[in-house]
Amino acid sequence: MKLTDNVLRSFRVAKVFRENSDKINCFDFSSNGETIISSSDDDSLVLYDCQEGKPKRTLYSKKYGVDLIRYTHAANTVVYSSNKIDDTIRYLSLHDNKYIRYFPGHNKRVTSLSMSPVDDTFISGSLDKTIRLWDLRSPNCQGLMHLQGKPVCSFDPEGLIFARGSSSTMCVNLIFEGPFATFKLQYDRTCEWTGLKFSNDGKLILLSTNGGALRILDAFKGAVLHSFGGYNNSKGVTLEASFTPDSQFVMIGSEDGKIHVWNAESGMKVALLDGKHTGPITCLQFNPKFMTFASACSNMVSGGVTQI
């Protein structure tokens, strides 16, 4: 089935999972779309089976806390940041619940984490105003960049470059063995950048903020193609925005439990969905392989297509 405006409007809540006692701060789909793993402020990691539609296993990181969880290229290992004790990134085997490696270096909370889609490297951004490049095979930082403010960063879908940005400078830099392009955006004092993502076709960059606006940039020229607003975020919450896998639509949740969907090409809003959430939708991603998406507050919600 191809994603269209009408198909997106037909999405309804399929299942609600109440496995957590506190906010789900992040989740990530496996590359084959068969599982999803969440991290929560209650220090738990919950693994879900997307095909059977049920939780499979719960692990805990009581000592260190858990945030920004990401699958590596192996479906049974993850990396995640710590939100208690220290700011070390941890590499965990889900098979036996044992740490494979630690990645110390940041001295303030990690706010951005992105795995390379092609190899064992990943990047992290922190409130210490640095971005670090890592390799899963070594605990030592492979590269260090200093910024003027809180960074956002992400690899492109080919793993050839990564983008970094900061709302303090309103600049997005594309990095390939050093910076090769810089995009300067109009200054906005009303909000802070909270996320940066490439579309799967590599043509677009999505900038999220803690205000009431998203921006889509041309990944080659840096021009702002569209600004999306009209969703509730009066408290300045970090809300995750995402592209659909076909790069045709942009989605974000809101503090009132609604999900807003726009056409990435035309900029028109095409759907407003009821996520049945009790709090702000802080996490939202589309399954990379199947016609479902997930959203989360303190509950995990799976959405699917109803009969049109």
Side-chain angles (χ1 to χ4, degrees):
M1 183 184 292
K2 182 181 177 181
L3 273 179
T4 64
D5 295 1
N6 284 335
V7 169
L8 279 163
R9 292 187 195 107
S10 77
F11 271 74
R12 299 292 183 270
V13 171
K15 287 204 172 183
V16 179
F17 302 99
R18 297 179 174 87
E19 308 299 309
N20 298 98
S21 59
D22 208 336
K23 183 187 80 171
I24 294 172
N25 52 46
C26 189
F27 61 66
D28 194 34
F29 281 100
S30 60
S31 59
N32 61 12
E34 294 178 0
T35 63
I36 185 172
I37 191 163
S38 68
S39 56
S40 169
D41 288 353
D42 64 13
D43 305 329
S44 71
L45 299 79
V46 182
L47 182 66
Y48 298 87
D49 187 313
C50 296
Q51 293 177 305
E52 295 186 9
K54 63 182 183 182
K56 291 176 63 175
R57 192 179 181 197
T58 300
L59 306 174
Y60 291 95
S61 182
K62 291 289 188 183
K63 183 177 180 181
Y64 304 111
V66 55
D67 198 355
L68 297 177
I69 195 158
R70 301 283 186 265
Y71 275 109
T72 67
H73 296 292
N76 60 349
T77 59
V78 294
V79 291
Y80 64 82
S81 63
S82 310
N83 53 18
K84 297 164 73 173
I85 297 184
D86 61 22
D87 303 290
T88 297
I89 297 168
R90 290 175 163 80
Y91 181 21
L92 177 70
S93 166
L94 301 175
H95 172 69
D96 51 11
N97 194 25
K98 291 183 178 179
Y99 292 113
I100 302 170
R101 194 159 287 114
Y102 302 95
F103 303 96
H106 288 298
N107 54 42
K108 289 187 178 179
R109 184 168 65 89
V110 176
T111 56
S112 191
L113 195 61
S114 176
M115 278 293 308
S116 166
V118 296
D119 58 27
D120 286 335
T121 58
F122 66 96
I123 50 176
S124 58
S126 164
L127 293 179
D128 63 14
K129 301 179 183 179
T130 66
I131 289 176
R132 291 176 180 263
L133 176 68
W134 309 89
D135 189 306
L136 287 174
R137 297 163 292 186
S138 169
N140 302 316
C141 176
Q142 307 294 303
L144 174 63
M145 287 160 280
H146 293 273
L147 286 84
Q148 295 180 31
K150 171 188 168 183
V152 290
C153 55
S154 179
F155 277 99
D156 84 309
E158 301 295 321
L160 298 174
I161 65 172
F162 67 85
R164 70 180 187 189
S166 171
S167 50
S168 61
T169 60
M170 298 302 289
C171 284
V172 175
N173 306 111
L174 301 185
I175 312 292
F176 175 77
E177 297 179 354
F180 74 89
T182 298
F183 305 143
K184 182 77 174 177
L185 276 67
Q186 187 175 349
Y187 195 67
D188 185 354
R189 295 178 180 273
T190 63
C191 59
E192 183 179 66
W193 293 358
T194 56
L196 185 156
K197 291 182 179 181
F198 282 88
S199 58
N200 277 348
D201 62 10
K203 296 179 180 179
L204 304 172
I205 294 174
L206 177 60
L207 273 176
S208 308
T209 73
N210 63 354
L214 305 170
R215 292 188 182 94
I216 287 186
L217 278 61
D218 183 306
F220 300 103
K221 299 177 181 178
V224 176
L225 302 177
H226 299 292
S227 292
F228 302 130
Y231 57 93
N232 293 332
N233 191 16
S234 62
K235 297 177 182 177
V237 178
T238 297
L239 305 173
E240 181 180 19
S242 293
F243 287 104
T244 52
D246 60 5
S247 307
Q248 300 302 305
F249 299 93
V250 170
M251 311 174 71
I252 193 170
S254 60
E255 64 184 10
D256 60 3
K258 298 292 193 297
I259 296 166
H260 300 252
V261 188
W262 296 269
N263 185 295
E265 183 177 358
S266 69
M268 298 295 291
K269 183 175 282 189
V270 298
L272 178 62
L273 307 173
D274 186 358
K276 307 292 184 184
H277 284 280
T278 56
I281 301 174
T282 51
C283 306
L284 177 67
Q285 290 178 34
F286 212 97
N287 189 304
K289 298 295 182 184
F290 303 109
M291 195 65 78
T292 61
F293 69 87
S295 57
C297 52
S298 58
N299 299 329
M300 177 79 81
V301 174
S302 171
V305 181
T306 58
Q307 192 70 31
I308 300 175

